[in-house]
Amino acid sequence: MTKTAVEAWGAGSARGKAARRRQRYPTLQYLERAAKRRVPRFAFDFVEAGTGDHVGVGRNRTALDAIQIVPRFGAVAKVSTEVELFGARYAAPLGIAPVGTDGLIWPGATVALARAAATARIPYITGTLASASLETVASICPGSFWFQLYGLPSRDHAVSFDLAARAAAAGAHALVVTMDAPVRAKRPKDMRNGLVVPFRPKLRTVADVVSSPWWALQLLKAGTPGFPNMTPYLGERPSLAAAAGFVQREIKGTFDWDDLRRLRQKWPRALVVKGIMHPDDAVRAVGLGADGVLVSNHGGRQSDAAPAAIDMLPAIVDAVGAKAAILFDSGVRSGLDAARALALGAHAVLCGRAFLYGLGALGDSGGAYVADLLIEELQTALAQHGAASLDELRHADRRHPGAFMMTPHAK
């Protein structure tokens, strides 16, 4: 067999594998089911669950499903999803949201997601509690690297500001300052599972791991998930136990408005405020110099009484949409969901759980698979509704029965 024939055979085999995978996992729901089978129960529960009685997670889903977009027909045009965010060009207005301790559902998740972002040319907001350091992520996807910052308030946020300085030195395109985790939420499934990091296996935990051999092999390969961003602050002999203790002690609050002002003074590039759910807070953040706000209820993981994030989006767009980039997350499970948020005025949409389900179902290649799936679904949604561009989608007629009607009055 000639070299050309071997290459052709290899390309055909790859296309066949991709087609079989798409047939087996046509939507995120199929990936979610596969992930549930393939990873330990405590790991799946950590990603899937919300706080309290899981009401907020369901509310996000119900609110997104209620949004309707009126299709228009008669014009056929090539659909473009290209977008510019904070001076950088991306293939689509979709990004990977930060999920703390992402290595639980797939050891090595952060590296896999960084590679997926680089391949798909979409933003990746790597987290303070990611399973690889921010410097590692920057080296893998320099064009897609954003950094999410949790508040570590002791010693006047000394570690918080140092993390921001490291992210700036590594070339992060945006600093995403998290405001929506003022205290630790009560997550009953994690409590019931006895989930702590580093692992302190109980009989039930061991049984979960034994029943998930594929995940267990990856754990042996990648190592126990840790907190590498914390390593520089742990002294000469950092250990996983020391890192876990440091996280428990230090990450126990959020930023106030003065902290945000100080971060704005020091941070050299785009600053995004995450967790905004009220137009007054959006106005205040932008007034302090934020370049963007991320409308989010933390995916239903902080308060069951919070409104669905999508229902707060229009009021925030009205308040600051002409002055700042509006990003959205919470409950997004498809490219159609992204289209719904974009039609309501968001400039970009982020997903967290979706990408972790992809890793849990397919391993290291799962992140790239989800990126391709969501972009394809978004392109289909635009075409189905007669929009050749994101701007045309924002002018589509739509119905949003749950939208909060509010008049911003910043204090």
PDB file of all heavy atoms in Angstrom, residues 79-82 91-92 94 335-336 339 372-385 387:
ATOM      1  N   VAL A  79     -24.323  31.262   6.877  1.00  0.00           N
ATOM      2  CA  VAL A  79     -24.369  31.683   8.274  1.00  0.00           C
ATOM      3  C   VAL A  79     -22.959  31.884   8.807  1.00  0.00           C
ATOM      4  O   VAL A  79     -22.066  31.061   8.582  1.00  0.00           O
ATOM      5  CB  VAL A  79     -25.106  30.628   9.126  1.00  0.00           C
ATOM      6  CG1 VAL A  79     -24.928  30.907  10.608  1.00  0.00           C
ATOM      7  CG2 VAL A  79     -26.583  30.595   8.761  1.00  0.00           C
ATOM      8  N   SER A  80     -22.742  32.979   9.507  1.00  0.00           N
ATOM      9  CA  SER A  80     -21.453  33.238  10.150  1.00  0.00           C
ATOM     10  C   SER A  80     -21.657  33.375  11.653  1.00  0.00           C
ATOM     11  O   SER A  80     -22.543  34.095  12.107  1.00  0.00           O
ATOM     12  CB  SER A  80     -20.829  34.526   9.607  1.00  0.00           C
ATOM     13  OG  SER A  80     -19.661  34.860  10.354  1.00  0.00           O
ATOM     14  N   THR A  81     -20.820  32.672  12.421  1.00  0.00           N
ATOM     15  CA  THR A  81     -20.868  32.791  13.879  1.00  0.00           C
ATOM     16  C   THR A  81     -19.627  33.483  14.432  1.00  0.00           C
ATOM     17  O   THR A  81     -19.441  33.550  15.645  1.00  0.00           O
ATOM     18  CB  THR A  81     -20.996  31.400  14.534  1.00  0.00           C
ATOM     19  OG1 THR A  81     -19.877  30.587  14.153  1.00  0.00           O
ATOM     20  CG2 THR A  81     -22.285  30.725  14.138  1.00  0.00           C
ATOM     21  N   GLU A  82     -18.765  34.003  13.567  1.00  0.00           N
ATOM     22  CA  GLU A  82     -17.548  34.685  14.034  1.00  0.00           C
ATOM     23  C   GLU A  82     -17.924  35.872  14.912  1.00  0.00           C
ATOM     24  O   GLU A  82     -18.922  36.559  14.668  1.00  0.00           O
ATOM     25  CB  GLU A  82     -16.726  35.171  12.841  1.00  0.00           C
ATOM     26  CG  GLU A  82     -16.064  34.067  12.047  1.00  0.00           C
ATOM     27  CD  GLU A  82     -14.577  33.929  12.368  1.00  0.00           C
ATOM     28  OE1 GLU A  82     -13.975  34.924  12.796  1.00  0.00           O
ATOM     29  OE2 GLU A  82     -14.036  32.832  12.175  1.00  0.00           O
ATOM     30  N   ALA A  91     -14.192  31.920  16.785  1.00  0.00           N
ATOM     31  CA  ALA A  91     -14.991  31.227  15.782  1.00  0.00           C
ATOM     32  C   ALA A  91     -16.476  31.298  16.078  1.00  0.00           C
ATOM     33  O   ALA A  91     -17.302  31.162  15.167  1.00  0.00           O
ATOM     34  CB  ALA A  91     -14.553  29.765  15.686  1.00  0.00           C
ATOM     35  N   ALA A  92     -16.838  31.493  17.331  1.00  0.00           N
ATOM     36  CA  ALA A  92     -18.248  31.517  17.717  1.00  0.00           C
ATOM     37  C   ALA A  92     -18.398  32.243  19.043  1.00  0.00           C
ATOM     38  O   ALA A  92     -17.446  32.304  19.831  1.00  0.00           O
ATOM     39  CB  ALA A  92     -18.796  30.092  17.828  1.00  0.00           C
ATOM     40  N   LEU A  94     -19.339  31.399  21.776  1.00  0.00           N
ATOM     41  CA  LEU A  94     -19.479  30.315  22.752  1.00  0.00           C
ATOM     42  C   LEU A  94     -18.159  30.157  23.479  1.00  0.00           C
ATOM     43  O   LEU A  94     -17.092  30.312  22.889  1.00  0.00           O
ATOM     44  CB  LEU A  94     -19.831  28.998  22.052  1.00  0.00           C
ATOM     45  CG  LEU A  94     -21.204  28.932  21.373  1.00  0.00           C
ATOM     46  CD1 LEU A  94     -21.255  27.762  20.405  1.00  0.00           C
ATOM     47  CD2 LEU A  94     -22.295  28.783  22.432  1.00  0.00           C
ATOM     48  N   GLY A 335     -26.782  24.475  21.308  1.00  0.00           N
ATOM     49  CA  GLY A 335     -26.583  25.661  20.505  1.00  0.00           C
ATOM     50  C   GLY A 335     -27.849  26.481  20.380  1.00  0.00           C
ATOM     51  O   GLY A 335     -27.799  27.706  20.245  1.00  0.00           O
ATOM     52  N   LEU A 336     -29.013  25.823  20.441  1.00  0.00           N
ATOM     53  CA  LEU A 336     -30.280  26.553  20.419  1.00  0.00           C
ATOM     54  C   LEU A 336     -30.431  27.398  21.678  1.00  0.00           C
ATOM     55  O   LEU A 336     -30.895  28.546  21.612  1.00  0.00           O
ATOM     56  CB  LEU A 336     -31.447  25.573  20.284  1.00  0.00           C
ATOM     57  CG  LEU A 336     -32.840  26.203  20.305  1.00  0.00           C
ATOM     58  CD1 LEU A 336     -32.993  27.232  19.190  1.00  0.00           C
ATOM     59  CD2 LEU A 336     -33.918  25.117  20.191  1.00  0.00           C
ATOM     60  N   ALA A 339     -28.475  30.390  21.137  1.00  0.00           N
ATOM     61  CA  ALA A 339     -29.178  31.299  20.240  1.00  0.00           C
ATOM     62  C   ALA A 339     -30.246  32.090  20.976  1.00  0.00           C
ATOM     63  O   ALA A 339     -30.457  33.279  20.714  1.00  0.00           O
ATOM     64  CB  ALA A 339     -29.802  30.517  19.081  1.00  0.00           C
ATOM     65  N   ASP A 372     -17.605  21.442  18.912  1.00  0.00           N
ATOM     66  CA  ASP A 372     -18.096  21.272  17.549  1.00  0.00           C
ATOM     67  C   ASP A 372     -19.621  21.123  17.525  1.00  0.00           C
ATOM     68  O   ASP A 372     -20.305  21.689  16.657  1.00  0.00           O
ATOM     69  CB  ASP A 372     -17.454  20.046  16.900  1.00  0.00           C
ATOM     70  CG  ASP A 372     -15.994  20.263  16.545  1.00  0.00           C
ATOM     71  OD1 ASP A 372     -15.542  21.424  16.542  1.00  0.00           O
ATOM     72  OD2 ASP A 372     -15.294  19.260  16.286  1.00  0.00           O
ATOM     73  N   LEU A 373     -20.145  20.343  18.479  1.00  0.00           N
ATOM     74  CA  LEU A 373     -21.583  20.094  18.542  1.00  0.00           C
ATOM     75  C   LEU A 373     -22.343  21.397  18.771  1.00  0.00           C
ATOM     76  O   LEU A 373     -23.328  21.701  18.072  1.00  0.00           O
ATOM     77  CB  LEU A 373     -21.880  19.103  19.659  1.00  0.00           C
ATOM     78  CG  LEU A 373     -23.339  18.659  19.845  1.00  0.00           C
ATOM     79  CD1 LEU A 373     -23.770  17.798  18.669  1.00  0.00           C
ATOM     80  CD2 LEU A 373     -23.488  17.876  21.151  1.00  0.00           C
ATOM     81  N   LEU A 374     -21.895  22.205  19.743  1.00  0.00           N
ATOM     82  CA  LEU A 374     -22.592  23.448  20.070  1.00  0.00           C
ATOM     83  C   LEU A 374     -22.506  24.458  18.923  1.00  0.00           C
ATOM     84  O   LEU A 374     -23.491  25.144  18.620  1.00  0.00           O
ATOM     85  CB  LEU A 374     -22.016  24.051  21.346  1.00  0.00           C
ATOM     86  CG  LEU A 374     -22.256  23.262  22.634  1.00  0.00           C
ATOM     87  CD1 LEU A 374     -21.554  23.948  23.802  1.00  0.00           C
ATOM     88  CD2 LEU A 374     -23.747  23.119  22.926  1.00  0.00           C
ATOM     89  N   ILE A 375     -21.340  24.560  18.294  1.00  0.00           N
ATOM     90  CA  ILE A 375     -21.195  25.502  17.178  1.00  0.00           C
ATOM     91  C   ILE A 375     -22.092  25.086  16.017  1.00  0.00           C
ATOM     92  O   ILE A 375     -22.770  25.915  15.397  1.00  0.00           O
ATOM     93  CB  ILE A 375     -19.724  25.598  16.739  1.00  0.00           C
ATOM     94  CG1 ILE A 375     -18.886  26.271  17.838  1.00  0.00           C
ATOM     95  CG2 ILE A 375     -19.600  26.378  15.431  1.00  0.00           C
ATOM     96  CD1 ILE A 375     -17.394  26.245  17.586  1.00  0.00           C
ATOM     97  N   GLU A 376     -22.127  23.787  15.731  1.00  0.00           N
ATOM     98  CA  GLU A 376     -22.995  23.297  14.653  1.00  0.00           C
ATOM     99  C   GLU A 376     -24.463  23.581  14.968  1.00  0.00           C
ATOM    100  O   GLU A 376     -25.232  24.029  14.103  1.00  0.00           O
ATOM    101  CB  GLU A 376     -22.786  21.792  14.472  1.00  0.00           C
ATOM    102  CG  GLU A 376     -23.660  21.162  13.395  1.00  0.00           C
ATOM    103  CD  GLU A 376     -23.511  19.655  13.387  1.00  0.00           C
ATOM    104  OE1 GLU A 376     -22.627  19.155  12.682  1.00  0.00           O
ATOM    105  OE2 GLU A 376     -24.284  18.972  14.100  1.00  0.00           O
ATOM    106  N   GLU A 377     -24.867  23.342  16.219  1.00  0.00           N
ATOM    107  CA  GLU A 377     -26.259  23.598  16.607  1.00  0.00           C
ATOM    108  C   GLU A 377     -26.583  25.089  16.551  1.00  0.00           C
ATOM    109  O   GLU A 377     -27.703  25.473  16.187  1.00  0.00           O
ATOM    110  CB  GLU A 377     -26.516  23.055  18.012  1.00  0.00           C
ATOM    111  CG  GLU A 377     -26.537  21.538  18.087  1.00  0.00           C
ATOM    112  CD  GLU A 377     -26.728  21.008  19.495  1.00  0.00           C
ATOM    113  OE1 GLU A 377     -26.558  21.792  20.460  1.00  0.00           O
ATOM    114  OE2 GLU A 377     -27.038  19.813  19.641  1.00  0.00           O
ATOM    115  N   LEU A 378     -25.634  25.928  16.907  1.00  0.00           N
ATOM    116  CA  LEU A 378     -25.859  27.371  16.821  1.00  0.00           C
ATOM    117  C   LEU A 378     -26.017  27.805  15.366  1.00  0.00           C
ATOM    118  O   LEU A 378     -26.906  28.612  15.036  1.00  0.00           O
ATOM    119  CB  LEU A 378     -24.707  28.124  17.476  1.00  0.00           C
ATOM    120  CG  LEU A 378     -24.756  29.655  17.379  1.00  0.00           C
ATOM    121  CD1 LEU A 378     -26.023  30.207  18.026  1.00  0.00           C
ATOM    122  CD2 LEU A 378     -23.509  30.269  18.020  1.00  0.00           C
ATOM    123  N   GLN A 379     -25.179  27.280  14.481  1.00  0.00           N
ATOM    124  CA  GLN A 379     -25.299  27.604  13.060  1.00  0.00           C
ATOM    125  C   GLN A 379     -26.666  27.176  12.525  1.00  0.00           C
ATOM    126  O   GLN A 379     -27.314  27.915  11.769  1.00  0.00           O
ATOM    127  CB  GLN A 379     -24.186  26.918  12.278  1.00  0.00           C
ATOM    128  CG  GLN A 379     -22.798  27.485  12.553  1.00  0.00           C
ATOM    129  CD  GLN A 379     -21.683  26.630  11.971  1.00  0.00           C
ATOM    130  OE1 GLN A 379     -21.880  25.445  11.672  1.00  0.00           O
ATOM    131  NE2 GLN A 379     -20.508  27.225  11.794  1.00  0.00           N
ATOM    132  N   THR A 380     -27.108  25.996  12.941  1.00  0.00           N
ATOM    133  CA  THR A 380     -28.421  25.505  12.512  1.00  0.00           C
ATOM    134  C   THR A 380     -29.532  26.409  13.034  1.00  0.00           C
ATOM    135  O   THR A 380     -30.486  26.735  12.313  1.00  0.00           O
ATOM    136  CB  THR A 380     -28.636  24.070  13.013  1.00  0.00           C
ATOM    137  OG1 THR A 380     -27.641  23.214  12.447  1.00  0.00           O
ATOM    138  CG2 THR A 380     -30.017  23.560  12.634  1.00  0.00           C
ATOM    139  N   ALA A 381     -29.411  26.834  14.288  1.00  0.00           N
ATOM    140  CA  ALA A 381     -30.433  27.701  14.879  1.00  0.00           C
ATOM    141  C   ALA A 381     -30.528  29.022  14.132  1.00  0.00           C
ATOM    142  O   ALA A 381     -31.629  29.532  13.869  1.00  0.00           O
ATOM    143  CB  ALA A 381     -30.119  27.944  16.362  1.00  0.00           C
ATOM    144  N   LEU A 382     -29.385  29.605  13.779  1.00  0.00           N
ATOM    145  CA  LEU A 382     -29.410  30.850  13.017  1.00  0.00           C
ATOM    146  C   LEU A 382     -30.104  30.647  11.673  1.00  0.00           C
ATOM    147  O   LEU A 382     -30.980  31.437  11.285  1.00  0.00           O
ATOM    148  CB  LEU A 382     -27.986  31.378  12.800  1.00  0.00           C
ATOM    149  CG  LEU A 382     -27.492  32.443  13.787  1.00  0.00           C
ATOM    150  CD1 LEU A 382     -27.293  31.836  15.179  1.00  0.00           C
ATOM    151  CD2 LEU A 382     -26.189  33.076  13.310  1.00  0.00           C
ATOM    152  N   ALA A 383     -29.710  29.591  10.965  1.00  0.00           N
ATOM    153  CA  ALA A 383     -30.293  29.337   9.643  1.00  0.00           C
ATOM    154  C   ALA A 383     -31.794  29.072   9.747  1.00  0.00           C
ATOM    155  O   ALA A 383     -32.581  29.564   8.923  1.00  0.00           O
ATOM    156  CB  ALA A 383     -29.587  28.155   8.993  1.00  0.00           C
ATOM    157  N   GLN A 384     -32.208  28.316  10.752  1.00  0.00           N
ATOM    158  CA  GLN A 384     -33.632  27.988  10.904  1.00  0.00           C
ATOM    159  C   GLN A 384     -34.473  29.222  11.184  1.00  0.00           C
ATOM    160  O   GLN A 384     -35.672  29.244  10.874  1.00  0.00           O
ATOM    161  CB  GLN A 384     -33.816  26.977  12.041  1.00  0.00           C
ATOM    162  CG  GLN A 384     -33.339  25.574  11.721  1.00  0.00           C
ATOM    163  CD  GLN A 384     -34.286  24.818  10.796  1.00  0.00           C
ATOM    164  OE1 GLN A 384     -35.257  25.364  10.288  1.00  0.00           O
ATOM    165  NE2 GLN A 384     -33.998  23.550  10.565  1.00  0.00           N
ATOM    166  N   HIS A 385     -33.873  30.227  11.765  1.00  0.00           N
ATOM    167  CA  HIS A 385     -34.636  31.428  12.112  1.00  0.00           C
ATOM    168  C   HIS A 385     -34.359  32.591  11.158  1.00  0.00           C
ATOM    169  O   HIS A 385     -34.720  33.734  11.437  1.00  0.00           O
ATOM    170  CB  HIS A 385     -34.360  31.821  13.564  1.00  0.00           C
ATOM    171  CG  HIS A 385     -34.888  30.815  14.536  1.00  0.00           C
ATOM    172  ND1 HIS A 385     -34.120  29.770  15.023  1.00  0.00           N
ATOM    173  CD2 HIS A 385     -36.121  30.660  15.083  1.00  0.00           C
ATOM    174  CE1 HIS A 385     -34.853  29.032  15.835  1.00  0.00           C
ATOM    175  NE2 HIS A 385     -36.070  29.548  15.888  1.00  0.00           N
ATOM    176  N   ALA A 387     -31.524  34.025  10.168  1.00  0.00           N
ATOM    177  CA  ALA A 387     -30.488  34.992  10.539  1.00  0.00           C
ATOM    178  C   ALA A 387     -29.155  34.546   9.970  1.00  0.00           C
ATOM    179  O   ALA A 387     -28.679  33.449  10.269  1.00  0.00           O
ATOM    180  CB  ALA A 387     -30.393  35.113  12.059  1.00  0.00           C
TER     181      ALA A 387
END
